[in-house]
């Protein structure tokens, strides 16, 4: 610990830091120093961040006066700015007023920190700057009228008070870790000095360093190297402190946690819960709304929306933080799968209740969850249109209580702290009553969600020997070892980010840190100098590639790369590789499951034969173990839904047009009208299912597509020999080799000679070769053919595809169906003597597949 800091703390100085992290670090270092000196008890020292010290100073002055301004918290300021922006003439041109308001708050703070006037007459201002100037004047007037005080103006008011009244106690103040002191801060420190206070700025201690530098393949490789380097430091001496500095920590936080857990806590990968005590801590918190227990709360409160994303409903169903979660865990998983089968990317609460209550069998129904939904809907129905934020906070808590949130199992330490943060979040929300009129449910929930989205939170843990942080706040901390990563030319110095609401000429005149390349470079050099004094053992690194893009090192680290020796890091093999390398082989061949009992029928239809042909284990997994993948959803109609609609249209058309003679008798207008009527009837039946993707816009597009493709297909049908349609979408139930088959035949036509043609509609590519193999790819039509009792003239695919519509199949003779050759004209004629021989061959093939399935043949043997 810096000797000057220790001395000043002993002299009773208050030590001010720019961040809460640095304050905590110095408090911990001071406590460790006392313990090293053998002390069990010592006098507390005063170490706190700048903003907390300002609040204390304000309390000192405000307690002397009766009519002090009312301090606004951060969220109250944000809400006022948002209201000012929404009520302005510029609001009509904005897409996200909340984001604009947050940016305006930052600009307002910058103006005060750097004492920039709003704005001089001679300065050119753009449209955006003029909009902010208008908002700022409106905000000022509102604060003056209501006697409100925000954080940006607090130091200026304190300077004014110090000019007329001295503090009650002469303060002794020391500052450490500040990159640069803003003009506003300097003005306050000057006023304190003039009033008799002692103010000191602590310089960093200079120390000898050993700096090693190197490049790595990419960011992942760099992080992995850093994690292994940290592991070596911990193995050498676990009591030494190690720092890892990451310039863009917010973007790589997840990768860092994954890699450090993988290297430092490999065994924890086998555990379901988060590791209890990590040897490292990441200084950057996450938004409160991203924690699972809070996400569950917002999923419950959002049930009022017209529709909810299926992913959010799934998160709620799988959440352990609602009523009877362990008890109904399996049933809710079944409901989650059923919702995916329903095919909608967004669902209303009514649809959710329909699927939960009627779509599943009684033994699969999540009755407790369904009861919670019903109680929740009943409670929401009786809510007033508007309430105050305080009343909404009570309402939200009552609605969450219906689902018994946060659940029935005991919360761990991190979850308990997160729940406490939620209560703090609610307190911030309630404070909006000061600046807002009564709110509707949706507006109140939007405010609460915005607050949680910008409430950075991280559960407190024991002090870890490894600290991972960004450069800001790291200056002033000392480590035994330090790794500074990510220093490629695009990251250090960082690109300039001028404020969009401050004229660029004023930003450069007042030397704002982000206003110019020169200021960014100066900042990077100063920060680099501070960080290089943080440790005697330093590693500097950069990634050489970003996906397919090459990166060069920052010019500021090139001298270290030239002078550095090779960077030697002993990398620990990946955990899965270590497990695999420690294996002991014991091979056994297990390609059969238990055979099915004689007389017991198997279910699965033609899909069972197709799966057995594709891979025996696939059939065993799907039809014996009943393994199924979760369905996926997307916007609009998928291929299966489009295919189902086409089948329904064709069924409607042929019910009214019972054959070839009726088809060719239709005039062009009659045919078009009948196609449209068939499409309208199919779409109406589809929409009765309550599917959200059946909106008017989607269905109009689908109607146009169907009319074109059906009209094209009917032109193909007109080229056929006369036929009559016997059946469309006819159920066909039978037992073949003790396999129960329940399916539908798309269409059966009858020719004038009494023979039949079996037709299977396809909207994709087809191949007749899929029928002729020991393991046929498409066994459905052969299965129909061998179980059909009436003589067949042909079995065909009807390929209904725009621009490619045609028949494909096998006929007993020539000219029966357009573009379909007879068996004797195909390459299969050499193997198959006649039509009956073909049917006999199919029967033998399918019987073999059925027998293999029943005997339990389950080898992992994919055909393709």
């Amino acid at each position: 610990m810096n000797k000057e800091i220790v001395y000043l703390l002993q002299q009773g100085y208050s030590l001010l830091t720019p961040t809460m992290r640095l304050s905590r670090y110095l408090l911990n270092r001071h406590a460790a120093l006392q313990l090293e000196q053998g002390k069990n008890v010592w006098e507390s020292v005063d170490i706190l961040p700048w903003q907390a010290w300002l609040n204390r100073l304000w309390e000192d002055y405000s307690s002397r006066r009766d009519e002090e301004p009312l301090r606004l918290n951060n969220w109250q300021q944000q809400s006022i700015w948002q209201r000012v922006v929404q009520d302005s003439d510029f609001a009509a041109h904005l897409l996200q007023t909340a984001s604009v308001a947050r940016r305006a708050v930052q600009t307002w703070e910058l103006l005060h920190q750097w004492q920039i006037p709003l704005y001089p007459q001679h300065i050119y201002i753009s449209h955006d700057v003029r909009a902010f100037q208008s908002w700022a004047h409106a905000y000022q007037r509102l604060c003056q009228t209501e006697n409100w005080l925000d954080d940006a103006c607090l130091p200026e008011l304190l300077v004014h008070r110090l000019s007329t009244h001295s503090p009650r106690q002469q303060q002794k103040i020391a500052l450490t870790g500040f990159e640069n002191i803003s003009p506003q801060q300097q003005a306050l420190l000057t006023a304190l000095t003039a009033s008799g206070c002692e103010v000191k700025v602590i310089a960093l201690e200079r120390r000898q360093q050993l700096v090693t530098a190197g490049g790595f393949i990419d960011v992942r490789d760099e992080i992995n190297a850093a994690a292994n380097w940290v592991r070596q430091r911990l193995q050498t001496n676990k009591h030494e402190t190690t720092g890892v500095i990451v310039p863009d920590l917010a973007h790589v936080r997840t990768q860092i946690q994954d890699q450090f857990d993988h290297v430092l806590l490999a065994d924890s990968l086998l555990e379901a819960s988060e590791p209890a005590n990590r040897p490292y801590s990441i200084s950057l918190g996450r938004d409160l709304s991203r924690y699972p227990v809070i996400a569950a709360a917002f999923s419950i409160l959002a049930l009022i929306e017209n529709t909810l994303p299926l992913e959010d409903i799934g998160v709620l169903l799988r959440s352990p933080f609602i009523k009877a979660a362990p008890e109904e865990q399996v049933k809710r998983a079944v409901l989650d799968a059923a919702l995916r089968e329903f095919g909608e990317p967004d669902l209303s609460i009514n649809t959710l209740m329909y699927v939960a209550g009627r779509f599943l069998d009684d033994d699969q129904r999540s009755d407790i969850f369904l009861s919670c939904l019903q109680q929740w809907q009943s409670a929401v129905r009786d809510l007033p249109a508007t309430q105050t934020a305080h009343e909404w906070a009570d309402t939200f808590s009552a609605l969450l209580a219906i689902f018994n949130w946060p659940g029935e199992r005991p919360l761990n330490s991190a979850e308990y702290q997160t729940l406490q943060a939620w209560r703090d979040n609610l307190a911030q929300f309630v404070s909006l009553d000061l600046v807002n009129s009564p709110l509707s449910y949706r507006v109140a929930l939007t405010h609460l969600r915005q607050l949680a989205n910008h409430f950075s939170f991280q559960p407190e843990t024991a002090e870890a020997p490894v600290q991972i942080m960004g450069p800001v706040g790291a200056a002033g901390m000392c480590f035994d070892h330090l790794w500074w990563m990510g220093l490629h030319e695009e990251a250090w110095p960082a690109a300039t980010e001028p404020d969009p609401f401050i004229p660029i000429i004023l930003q450069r005149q007042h030397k704002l840190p982000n206003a110019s390349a020169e200021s960014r470079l100066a900042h990077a050099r100063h920060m680099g100098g501070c960080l290089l004094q943080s440790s005697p053992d330093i590693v500097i690194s950069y990634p050489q590639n970003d996906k397919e893009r090459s990166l060069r090192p920052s010019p500021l680290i090139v001298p270290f790369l030239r002078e550095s020796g090779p960077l030697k890091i002993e990398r620990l093999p990946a955990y899965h590789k270590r497990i695999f390398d420690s294996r002991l082989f014991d091979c056994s061949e297990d390609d059969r499951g238990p055979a099915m009992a004689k007389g017991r029928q198997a279910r699965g239809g033609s899909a069972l034969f197709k799966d057995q042909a594709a891979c025996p284990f696939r059939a065993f997994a799907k039809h014996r173990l009943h393994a199924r993948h979760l369905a996926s959803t997307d916007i609009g109609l998928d291929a299966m839904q489009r295919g189902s609609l086409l089948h329904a249209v064709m069924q409607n058309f042929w019910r009214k047009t019972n054959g070839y003679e009726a088809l060719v008798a239709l005039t062009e207008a009659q045919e078009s009208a009948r196609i449209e009527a068939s499409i309208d009837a199919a779409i109406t039946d589809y929409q009765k299912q309550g599917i959200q993707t059946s909106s008017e816009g989607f269905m109009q597009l689908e109607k146009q597509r169907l009319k074109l493709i059906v009209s094209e297909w009917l032109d193909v049908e007109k080229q056929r020999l006369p036929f009559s349609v016997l059946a469309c979408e006819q159920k066909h139930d039978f037992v073949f080799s003790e396999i129960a088959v329940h399916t539908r035949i798309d269409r059966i036509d009858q020719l004038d000679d009494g023979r039949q043609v079996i037709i299977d509609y396809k909207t994709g590519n087809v191949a007749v070769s899929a029928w002729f193999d020991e393991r046929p790819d498409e066994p459905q039509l052969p299965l129909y053919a061998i179980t059909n009792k009436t003589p067949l003239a042909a079995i065909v695919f009807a390929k209904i595809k725009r621009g490619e519509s045609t028949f494909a199949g096998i006929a007993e003779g020539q000219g029966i169906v357009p573009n379909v050759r007879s068996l004797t004209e195909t390459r299969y004629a050499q193997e198959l003597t006649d039509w009956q021989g073909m049917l006999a061959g199919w029967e033998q093939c399918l019987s073999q597949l059925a027998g293999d399935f029943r005997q339990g043949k389950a080898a992992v043997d994919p055909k393709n």
Side-chain angles (χ1 to χ4, degrees), residues 132-145:
F132 173 78
Q133 186 182 46
S134 171
W135 301 330
H137 287 315
Y139 176 78
Q140 279 180 319
R141 289 192 298 270
L142 190 57
C143 288
Q144 290 170 0
T145 302

Side-chain angles (χ1 to χ4, degrees), residues 808-843:
I810 296 286
E812 188 175 14
Q814 296 179 354
I816 296 175
V817 180
N819 201 43
V820 174
R821 292 182 294 177
S822 67
L823 177 63
T824 57
E825 296 175 309
T826 67
R827 61 187 175 91
Y828 307 109
Q830 297 177 356
E831 303 173 10
L832 304 171
T833 56
D834 55 17
W835 187 257
Q836 293 302 319
M838 179 186 71
L839 296 179
W842 282 346
E843 183 171 9

Side-chain angles (χ1 to χ4, degrees), residues 162-427:
L162 283 167
S163 65
T164 56
H165 299 84
S166 298
R168 289 180 177 176
Q169 296 181 352
Q170 294 302 312
Q171 300 194 30
K172 295 191 291 185
I173 302 165
L175 284 76
T176 185
F178 286 82
E179 301 173 39
N180 46 42
I181 296 176
S182 70
Q184 186 188 55
Q185 290 173 324
Q186 187 58 58
L188 180 55
L189 295 176
T190 302
L192 283 167
T193 303
S195 67
C197 297
E198 297 182 40
V199 179
K200 292 183 179 293
V201 178
I202 301 174
L204 291 174
E205 286 184 325
R206 303 199 65 82
R207 60 180 72 189
Q208 295 291 327
Q209 305 114 359
L210 173 62
V211 180
T212 309
F216 295 90
I217 297 172
D218 54 20
V219 173
R220 181 182 179 85
D221 184 52
E222 184 183 25
I223 294 173
N224 180 266
N228 278 280
W229 179 82
V230 166
R231 178 182 58 82
Q232 292 175 14
R233 306 284 85 73
L234 291 174
Q235 288 177 343
T236 302
N237 188 336
K238 64 181 180 180
H239 299 294
E240 291 183 334
T241 59
T242 303
V244 179
I245 309 299
V246 188
D248 198 12
L249 182 56
H251 286 85
V252 296
R253 186 188 195 281
T254 302
Q255 293 185 58
I256 284 178
Q257 183 166 314
D258 289 345
Q259 287 290 317
F260 273 70
D261 280 352
H262 191 84
V263 173
L264 303 180
L265 298 165
D267 294 344
S268 68
L269 299 176
L270 304 178
E271 300 175 4
S273 59
E274 286 278 313
N277 294 306
R278 288 185 167 97
Y280 68 90
S281 67
I282 302 177
S283 65
L284 183 68
R286 292 189 295 169
D287 295 338
L288 183 62
S289 59
R290 295 182 60 187
Y291 287 86
V293 63
I294 307 303
F298 279 115
S299 295
I300 294 170
L301 297 177
L303 290 172
I304 197 171
E305 300 295 340
N306 295 329
T307 59
L308 288 172
L310 179 61
E311 292 80 3
D312 292 354
I313 296 176
V315 168
L316 180 61
L317 285 169
R318 299 188 300 271
S319 174
F321 303 109
I322 60 176
K323 188 175 184 179
E327 181 181 343
E328 288 193 340
Q329 182 178 15
V330 174
K331 292 181 178 180
R332 292 176 188 179
V334 171
L335 175 57
D336 187 14
L339 292 172
R340 295 167 188 267
E341 292 285 347
F342 203 62
E344 289 303 304
D346 299 286
L347 297 172
S348 66
I349 187 173
N350 290 329
T351 305
L352 173 59
M353 293 177 67
Y354 166 77
V355 177
R358 301 181 184 178
F359 203 69
L360 300 174
D361 296 335
D362 291 344
D363 60 339
Q364 295 179 324
R365 191 173 298 144
S366 304
D367 292 324
I368 298 175
F369 181 77
L370 182 59
S371 174
C372 290
L373 286 177
Q374 293 167 341
Q375 293 177 50
W376 193 95
Q377 199 172 39
S378 176
V380 167
R381 198 177 295 119
D382 298 331
L383 291 177
T386 60
Q387 293 187 117
T388 65
H390 186 279
E391 290 169 332
W392 279 123
D394 291 338
T395 298
F396 291 154
S397 298
L399 292 175
L400 293 174
I402 292 174
F403 282 84
N404 204 19
W405 181 85
E408 296 154 3
R409 67 169 176 80
L411 300 178
N412 60 34
S413 175
E415 292 166 348
Y416 180 80
Q417 291 181 59
T418 306
L419 200 60
Q420 292 297 114
W422 166 261
R423 296 191 179 103
D424 295 339
N425 196 61
L426 274 182

Side-chain angles (χ1 to χ4, degrees), residues 448-635:
L448 184 61
R449 185 180 280 113
Q450 288 176 351
L451 183 55
N453 286 342
H454 296 89
F455 190 106
S456 182
F457 170 73
Q458 187 171 22
E460 291 186 13
T461 58
E463 189 69 16
V466 180
Q467 302 287 324
I468 304 173
M469 68 198 77
V472 177
M477 300 177 69
C478 295
F479 305 97
D480 296 304
H481 311 280
L482 179 70
W483 184 300
W484 190 7
M485 68 169 58
L487 298 179
H488 59 85
E489 63 178 351
E490 297 176 15
W492 197 262
T496 58
E497 296 178 3
D499 192 290
F501 293 144
I502 303 177
I504 191 66
I505 189 171
L506 290 180
Q507 297 187 54
R508 290 176 176 172
Q509 285 178 3
H510 291 266
K511 299 181 180 179
L512 266 65
N514 297 336
S516 66
E518 292 80 8
S519 63
R520 278 291 200 185
L521 179 59
H523 166 79
R525 282 177 171 158
H526 173 74
M527 175 66 72
C530 293
L531 291 176
L532 290 175
Q533 299 299 322
S534 300
S535 173
D537 176 25
I538 300 174
V539 175
I540 298 174
S541 67
Y542 74 100
Q544 297 171 332
N545 299 280
D546 178 19
K547 296 180 181 177
E548 298 179 358
R549 196 164 54 95
S550 296
L551 298 174
R552 292 183 296 185
S554 166
L556 298 180
I557 71 167
V558 169
F560 297 104
L561 290 169
R562 290 173 182 162
E563 299 171 5
S564 174
L567 185 57
K568 297 181 180 179
I569 299 174
E570 182 185 346
R571 301 219 190 190
L572 195 66
Y575 190 55
H576 68 273
K577 189 176 186 305
R578 281 184 278 156
I579 293 177
F580 189 75
D581 289 343
S582 65
R583 67 197 182 280
L584 293 174
F585 279 114
D586 184 10
C587 297
S588 62
E589 190 171 335
D590 183 12
D591 60 357
R592 284 187 178 274
M596 295 186 67
K598 189 173 180 59
R600 179 185 172 190
Q601 291 184 356
R603 298 181 181 274
S606 60
L608 185 151
F609 293 89
K610 183 176 181 178
D611 291 329
Q612 185 71 25
C615 176
F617 179 76
R618 177 185 178 89
F620 183 81
K622 288 180 64 176
H623 304 284
R624 295 285 299 276
L625 303 180
H626 305 290
R628 298 171 61 192
H629 65 81
L630 291 176
S632 59
T633 60
D634 203 351
I635 297 173

Side-chain angles (χ1 to χ4, degrees), residues 660-730:
Y660 176 82
E661 299 295 341
L663 174 63
V664 297
L666 293 173
T667 66
E668 185 176 341
Q670 289 173 332
E671 180 181 307
S672 178
R674 187 163 295 183
I675 292 173
E676 288 190 9
S678 301
I679 293 172
D680 289 340
I683 287 177
T684 298
D685 290 341
Y686 184 79
Q687 289 175 321
K688 286 179 181 178
Q689 301 175 30
I691 298 178
Q692 305 298 323
T693 48
S694 59
S695 64
E696 194 62 29
F698 277 122
M699 301 318 292
Q700 282 298 326
L701 292 173
E702 188 61 19
K703 183 175 180 179
Q704 295 173 20
R705 187 189 75 87
L706 286 169
K707 186 173 182 181
L708 289 171
I709 199 171
V710 172
S711 297
E712 183 180 293
W713 174 251
L714 292 179
D715 290 338
V716 176
E717 295 273 14
K718 293 173 185 176
Q719 301 171 23
R720 294 180 56 188
L721 296 175
F723 63 88
S724 58
V725 178
L726 289 183
C728 289
E729 303 295 331
Q730 177 176 289

